[in-house]
Amino acid sequence: MHHSLKLAVSAAIGAALLSACDATPPAASGTSETLAARAWNETVEAEGEIKAASDTPLAVPGSGWSSRVLVDMVADGSSVKKGQVVARFDAPQSRMELSQAEYELLRKTLAEEASRQAAAVDRGVLAGERAKVEDDLSLSRRYANVDLSVFAKNTILDALADVGFLTTKRGYLDWKGGQAQARSAAQEAVLHSQRDSVQQTAVQKRQSLDSLELLAPHDGVFLQAARWDGAKALVGASQMAGEAFGFIPDLDQLVARFSVPEGRAYGLKPGMPVRVRLAGTGTELDLAVTKVSSSASTISSDSPVKYTEFDAAIATDAARRLGLKPGQALNGTVWLVARQSALTVPNVSLVQEGAGYVVYTDDAGRPVKHKIELGQRGPVRSEIKSGLAAGARIILVPPAEIKS
């Protein structure tokens, strides 16, 4: 009995080894689909709103990033006319700086005038001294060549000065006058430069105070710009000149702008038909995709999901007839694929192999690999151009490992 058990175990082990060496593929398992030509329709739903194709940006008036305080503004979303005051600002800091500049300008002007007066006095003193030297030199030269015997000796000694000394003194006074003139010119140039700088500052502050009103460049609807955190400026808030304050859409050309998650935008391209439904009204429009953004981005700091935007242009006459305005909510259905008959397979059945794709079919319970050529791709299904014929049973979930 014990010997018979050993023989049975040996036979079982041998059969297992032979089975492993045979390496037959495992039986196909899971659901399958019969390949056949059938209608192929795929759509993508999207939420959006009416936007203007282009906007006229509005910035806080002023230059040089000067500080502004919002005093008054029209309501966000209000209709405005060309030249209408959209917002009024005040500039307390510029007023203070203008007052300081005007005071400093007065000081520089007085200092410049004082410098000119002092230079004039110095020139007058030097002119008087030089005139006296000229008189003394003239007298000395007169007595240098006359017969001194006709004059009393003391009188001659008191009146006669050395010609060489007076000539040297005259040269010194000329040099001193030149130095005084150069010093006066340099000081005047410095004061003039300082006064021009202060005057330029004053002009800038006056111009800043003249730019405290924001006017509408054309008719439209005023929409206030939001900051990075989504908040909008309130009356009393401080802003910088040149900062974005809002915009006025161009109502002559409106578009339906939608956002879809990046993964659902596969295959989306211009020209595709889109059925647009105005939220709350039931009105529907048949449009076409006119623009698809080249990159996706997040729309909220609370979610990492990236969205792709696309536009569908609205005819001007239709927009006016329906009274469409920027900001109206929309629902859209884009027809990504609309074919009456096509040979397609689900994308879940595709296995990428190198630069191409393969699918597995169920052949009498065994998976068989087929290299295929794909045609049009969709988010759910893809067209088969070659590699399989109708009637094949496609394995929807390909086997994870195929032994050969």
Side-chain angles (χ1 to χ4, degrees):
M1 183 66 181
H2 182 67
H3 180 69
S4 298
L5 179 61
K6 285 184 176 180
L7 291 176
V9 171
S10 299
I13 293 174
L17 292 174
L18 288 174
S19 176
C21 292
D22 187 44
T24 57
S29 62
T31 58
S32 61
E33 177 186 293
T34 302
L35 183 63
R38 57 175 61 92
W40 183 22
N41 296 295
E42 292 194 37
T43 62
V44 61
E45 302 291 330
E47 303 291 330
E49 62 178 319
I50 294 178
K51 294 277 189 179
S54 61
D55 300 322
T56 302
L58 301 177
V60 177
S63 60
W65 290 98
S66 55
S67 178
R68 294 283 189 271
V69 176
L70 181 60
V71 176
D72 188 21
M73 61 176 287
V74 299
D76 188 14
S78 303
S79 297
V80 294
K81 298 293 184 180
K82 180 179 180 180
Q84 180 181 343
V85 177
V86 175
R88 289 187 175 87
F89 298 84
D90 193 13
Q93 183 177 352
S94 293
R95 294 185 190 280
M96 179 188 66
E97 291 174 350
L98 176 59
S99 179
Q100 292 175 344
E102 289 177 337
Y103 172 73
E104 191 66 20
L105 180 61
L106 180 60
R107 286 183 64 250
K108 296 300 181 184
T109 303
L110 292 176
E112 195 173 358
E113 183 61 27
S115 176
R116 284 196 292 266
Q117 294 296 333
V121 171
D122 291 341
R123 287 195 299 270
V125 172
L126 288 174
E129 292 182 1
R130 196 178 189 287
K132 184 176 182 306
V133 169
E134 288 289 348
D135 290 342
D136 291 345
L137 184 59
S138 177
L139 181 63
S140 297
R141 286 173 176 170
R142 182 183 304 170
Y143 283 108
N145 300 319
V146 299
D147 184 6
L148 301 179
S149 60
V150 298
F151 298 98
K153 186 175 182 180
N154 290 339
T155 302
I156 293 174
L157 292 177
D158 291 340
L160 187 62
D162 180 64
V163 174
F165 169 75
L166 292 174
T167 301
T168 301
K169 185 175 182 179
R170 183 179 65 177
Y172 167 74
L173 291 175
D174 289 341
W175 172 84
K176 188 176 181 180
Q179 290 295 311
Q181 185 175 0
R183 184 170 59 254
S184 175
Q187 186 176 3
E188 186 174 350
V190 171
L191 291 172
H192 186 70
S193 176
Q194 292 176 347
R195 184 173 64 84
D196 284 348
S197 177
V198 175
Q199 187 173 16
Q200 181 65 26
T201 300
V203 170
Q204 291 176 351
K205 299 307 174 184
R206 290 192 188 97
Q207 290 176 346
S208 178
L209 292 174
D210 288 339
S211 303
L212 295 177
E213 291 185 343
L214 180 59
L215 305 180
H218 57 76
D219 295 352
V221 177
F222 166 67
L223 299 176
Q224 191 177 3
R227 296 189 308 230
W228 62 271
D229 58 355
K232 298 181 180 181
L234 301 175
V235 172
S238 295
Q239 293 184 282
M240 303 300 291
E243 183 180 351
F245 185 74
F247 53 92
I248 298 180
D250 183 3
L251 300 181
D252 289 336
Q253 181 58 65
L254 299 179
V255 298
R257 180 162 299 168
F258 300 93
S259 297
V260 293
E262 185 179 17
R264 294 171 53 195
Y266 182 82
L268 190 63
K269 59 184 179 181
M272 290 183 170
V274 53
R275 172 68 60 87
V276 176
R277 182 184 180 89
L278 300 177
T281 66
T283 303
E284 293 187 346
L285 295 172
D286 288 319
L287 306 176
V289 176
T290 53
K291 179 182 178 183
V292 179
S293 61
S294 58
S295 60
S297 60
T298 58
I299 61 176
S300 172
S301 58
D302 299 330
S303 173
V305 178
K306 291 186 175 182
Y307 288 80
T308 298
E309 288 189 342
F310 65 94
D311 292 348
I314 303 174
T316 303
D317 56 347
R320 291 176 178 173
R321 175 172 49 83
L322 297 173
L324 302 182
K325 299 291 183 183
Q328 287 181 264
L330 304 170
N331 298 317
T333 302
V334 183
W335 293 91
L336 300 176
V337 181
R339 296 177 60 175
Q340 293 182 352
S341 178
L343 204 63
T344 64
V345 293
N347 290 339
V348 294
S349 66
L350 298 174
V351 178
Q352 188 165 5
E353 190 174 86
Y357 290 89
V358 299
V359 295
Y360 288 89
T361 61
D362 185 351
D363 186 7
R366 295 187 179 186
V368 179
K369 183 170 66 174
H370 302 268
K371 188 175 182 180
I372 60 172
E373 181 184 359
L374 296 179
Q376 185 178 357
R377 300 294 305 274
V380 178
R381 305 182 69 88
S382 296
E383 180 186 14
I384 296 278
K385 291 185 68 175
S386 63
L388 276 179
R393 292 189 60 80
I394 307 297
I395 298 176
L396 299 185
V397 181
E401 182 177 351
I402 301 297
K403 296 179 181 181
S404 60

